[in-house]
Amino acid sequence: MLAQLSDPHIQDEDSAAALAAAVRCVLDLTPLPDAVLVTGDLAEHGSAAEYERVRELLAPLPMPVHVLPGNHDDRDAMRAHLGGVETADVGGLRLIACDTSQPGRDDGRLDVEWLAARLAESDAPTIVAMHHPPVATGIPALDRIGLPEADCAALAGLLARSPQVRRVIAGHVHRTVFAVLGGCGVVTCPSTNRQAKLELGAEEFNFVHEPPAIAVHTASVAHIQPVTR
Ligand SMILES: [Fe+2]
Ligand SMILES: [Fe+2]
């Protein structure tokens, strides 16, 4: 069982209190998850001080905590404070973490060849994680800073021939989105902090006061669990 947190964007006391509440939400789960994954945008500006704060806020979690970078992160500073993960065993579920970030850019790229090589290593039930979701949300303001169509199409082909992948999980869009790609479910986890307004066709990205949430993944199912403070 894997708990997913996403997009804490740590920069001030509000974002810190919101991540602390999400951590308490994980600690309230029964049973406790085998591991926690934070799917990017850990820090708002990618500074060392922000990553140190993230490390302090995640410290109460007794299980392994994995992180992968988002467009707001500085991957080297993040790794220096929080480590990084490419693959991990999470209670018999294999986690593969893809780095879709590009220095200095908000949109992403997916190294599909790298992922294909990781998938060739094992037939164990697998969750593939990344920051940028590999599907369009229908909100142009978000889709402009997503993954290129060519990368999504290549991933669709890879997923279609990789039946061990149970789910693709992502963040970045600050709300829950579900889609199917290459016959595989894709689900995004809301932010621990601010949520994106549901406005299909919107050219501008607006935040909205909606409850933060975490996700809980097993091999067979994903749950989205709202966070209460
Ligand atoms: Fe974000
Ligand atoms: Fe992002």
Side-chain angles (χ1 to χ4, degrees):
M1 177 174 151
L2 174 73
Q4 181 189 5
L5 277 55
S6 203
D7 295 83
H9 287 261
I10 293 302
Q11 59 175 325
D12 55 17
E13 281 315 304
D14 269 4
S15 52
L19 179 55
V23 166
R24 286 196 298 275
C25 185
V26 173
L27 292 171
D28 279 346
L29 293 170
T30 307
L32 280 178
D34 297 291
V36 172
L37 173 68
V38 190
T39 44
D41 286 354
L42 280 70
E44 176 68 13
H45 307 100
S47 73
E50 288 171 348
Y51 290 117
E52 185 54 27
R53 189 79 180 106
V54 173
R55 200 188 58 74
E56 291 169 2
L57 289 159
L58 296 174
L61 295 169
M63 67 289 289
V65 178
H66 306 298
V67 300
L68 59 79
N71 50 302
H72 280 260
D73 290 307
D74 176 313
R75 62 162 72 107
D76 294 330
M78 188 196 79
R79 281 180 191 145
H81 286 83
L82 294 151
V85 66
E86 291 189 339
T87 64
D89 176 73
V90 179
L93 196 55
R94 187 170 189 239
L95 171 67
I96 303 179
C98 305
D99 179 356
T100 53
S101 69
Q102 305 189 89
R105 297 182 63 107
D106 284 325
D107 59 342
R109 287 302 309 270
L110 178 65
D111 188 342
V112 179
E113 282 186 21
W114 178 88
L115 176 58
R118 299 290 77 70
L119 287 170
E121 295 167 350
S122 171
D123 290 330
T126 298
I127 286 183
V128 173
M130 59 193 70
H131 180 66
H132 299 80
V135 292
T137 63
I139 302 174
L142 293 174
D143 295 336
R144 271 197 298 274
I145 55 169
L147 290 178
E149 275 181 34
D151 291 0
C152 298
L155 177 61
L158 177 60
L159 291 170
R161 56 182 191 272
S162 306
Q164 76 270 41
V165 181
R166 300 303 169 87
R167 203 165 304 124
V168 177
I169 67 174
H172 187 54
V173 294
H174 291 233
R175 56 179 301 101
T176 306
V177 176
F178 175 78
V180 174
L181 183 72
C184 184
V186 177
V187 65
T188 66
C189 180
S191 168
T192 61
N193 190 15
R194 295 198 293 174
Q195 312 311 319
K197 191 172 183 186
L198 173 56
E199 290 178 293
L200 292 176
E203 296 295 335
E204 284 182 19
F205 177 99
N206 292 303
F207 287 108
V208 65
H209 288 289
E210 289 178 353
I214 67 170
V216 174
H217 300 280
T218 71
S220 57
V221 72
H223 288 266
I224 302 295
Q225 171 61 51
V227 175
T228 52
R229 288 209 202 178

